[in-house]
Amino acid sequence: NAGVMQNPRHLVRRRGQEARLRCSPMKGHSHVYWYRQLPEEGLKFMVYLQKENIIDESGMPKERFSAEFPKEGPSILRIQQVVRGDSAAYFCASSPPLSGANVLTFGAGSRLTVL
Amino acid sequence: AQKITQTQPGMFVQEKEAVTLDCTYDTSDPSYGLFWYKQPSSGEMIFLIYQGSYDQQNATEGRYSLNFQKARKSANLVISASQLGDSAMYFCAMRGGIQGAQKLVFGQGTRLTINP
C-alpha cells in the first residue's frame, strides 16, 4: 500500500540542462498536483492534472516548465534549460476522484539543485 | 485572492508544555478548508489536521487541535504535551471553494523547536 512515490529524491543539474521529476500517485488516485517549495518558504501550487489532461496550470512558469500525466506511467514534471533559481523542493500530491483537495497525500519531494 | 499568514517565524517551547501556532487567513469564498502540515527536517509533508468552514466543532486529532475562530479568520494549531519529536516546520494551508478546490495556499511556516 505504497504512498505517493517521487523520484529522484535528489537531483543535481548544471545550468542549461534538463530536469525530469517523476511522481506515481497512490493506488486509486487519479488526480495529481505539483507544488514547489523554495528555501525557507511554504509550498506554492504549480499544476493540477488528471490522466492525459492538464486541469489547472495557473501556477506554472510560462517558459521552460511542462507537466504531463499519461494514460500509463507516472506524472512527469519537466524543467528545460534549468537556472539557479529553479533550485527547490518539488512536491507531488495525489487525491482520489471527486475529492478536491480535502485528502491530498504528499510524496516525500524531489530536491533539485542547479549548479 | 486567498492568503494565509503565519506571523511566528520561530517558536521555542519546553518539552511537555502546550504550544499554540498562529494562523490567520483571508478569503472571499463562503466554503473553504483549513489544514495544518508538519515538515520535519527529513523534508516530507505530513498532514496533521483539517477544519472545514462549516464545521461546528473545532477539529481534534490526538494531541493536535485546531482553534477555529471564524469571525477572526484564525485557525491556530494547538499541540498539547509537546514532545522532542514535534520539532519541525509547521505550515497552515487553505483550500478554496469549488473554483479553487484543487489548490492549497500555504503560509510561510513556523519553525517549532522543543527543548528538553
Side-chain angles (χ1 to χ4, degrees), chain A residues 3 9 12 16 19-21 29 37-38 42 46-47 51 59-60 64-65 69 74 88 94-95 106 109 112-113:
Chain A
R9 290 293 311 277
V12 179
R20 286 192 180 218
L21 309 177
H29 287 193
Q37 184 180 30
L38 295 172
M46 298 180 75
V47 63
K51 288 281 188 182
M60 287 280 271
R64 302 186 298 108
F65 285 72
F69 189 17
S94 71
S95 70
F106 281 88
L112 172 65
T113 301

Side-chain angles (χ1 to χ4, degrees), chain A residues 64-89:
Chain A
R64 302 186 298 108
F65 285 72
S66 62
E68 63 176 6
F69 189 17
K71 186 177 180 181
E72 301 290 338
S75 175
I76 306 285
L77 179 67
R78 182 184 180 202
I79 312 172
Q80 294 178 289
Q81 299 175 336
V82 297
V83 301
R84 289 219 172 109
D86 297 333
S87 295

